[in-house]
Amino acid sequence: MTLRFQADADLNQIIVLAANRREPTLDFQTSVAGGLIGLTDPEVLSRSAQEGRVLVTHDHRTMPQHFSEFISKQTSSGVLIVSQSLPVAAVVEDLLLIHAATEAKDWINRLGYLPV
């Protein structure tokens, strides 16, 4: 199955726009389109899992703990935590590489970080 991304509300939305512009076949949903605005981390994880999307977030402070708790009870489509200090172009390149080199099943219950 093809890898699909879901932007968290805290993710720089320019990343989503730039990635979608660079690769038109990429399925990277904004937080607004995903209905994530105002939801708690566990709700965001649940919504992303229901949609079968890897959550992309800048939230390195609370998301890892919530992710750990979430996967102890149910299956996640995965989470990718992106450093805010990375240039947008570098993030987009890494996301496109991940999209090209992995499949959705590779991210089940997986927590990853950019930069690697």
Side-chain angles (χ1 to χ4, degrees):
M1 180 187 238
T2 303
L3 187 63
R4 302 183 311 148
F5 294 116
Q6 173 63 62
D8 196 0
D10 75 343
L11 186 72
N12 180 347
Q13 296 301 296
I14 294 172
I15 293 169
V16 180
L17 297 172
N20 283 328
R21 185 171 292 149
R22 273 281 314 279
E23 181 51 61
T25 64
L26 185 67
D27 187 349
F28 196 166
Q29 186 168 257
T30 66
S31 57
V32 173
L36 303 184
I37 305 300
L39 298 182
T40 65
D41 285 354
E43 292 169 330
V44 168
L45 288 164
S46 180
R47 181 78 55 91
S48 296
Q50 289 168 2
E51 296 277 324
R53 294 179 179 274
V54 173
L55 181 66
V56 183
T57 183
H58 286 306
D59 183 3
H60 64 88
R61 191 175 54 81
T62 63
M63 191 57 78
Q65 180 62 37
H66 287 126
F67 177 76
S68 178
E69 293 168 4
F70 185 85
I71 64 171
S72 72
K73 299 173 188 157
Q74 52 195 316
T75 302
S76 168
S77 298
V79 173
L80 188 56
I81 298 177
V82 178
S83 171
Q84 289 184 1
S85 65
L86 283 178
V88 169
V91 174
V92 169
E93 287 298 322
D94 286 349
L95 289 173
L96 293 179
L97 179 61
I98 289 167
H99 180 259
T102 64
E103 295 180 6
K105 66 180 180 170
D106 299 326
W107 285 90
I108 302 290
N109 291 336
R110 181 174 173 194
L111 177 68
Y113 291 86
L114 289 182
V116 177

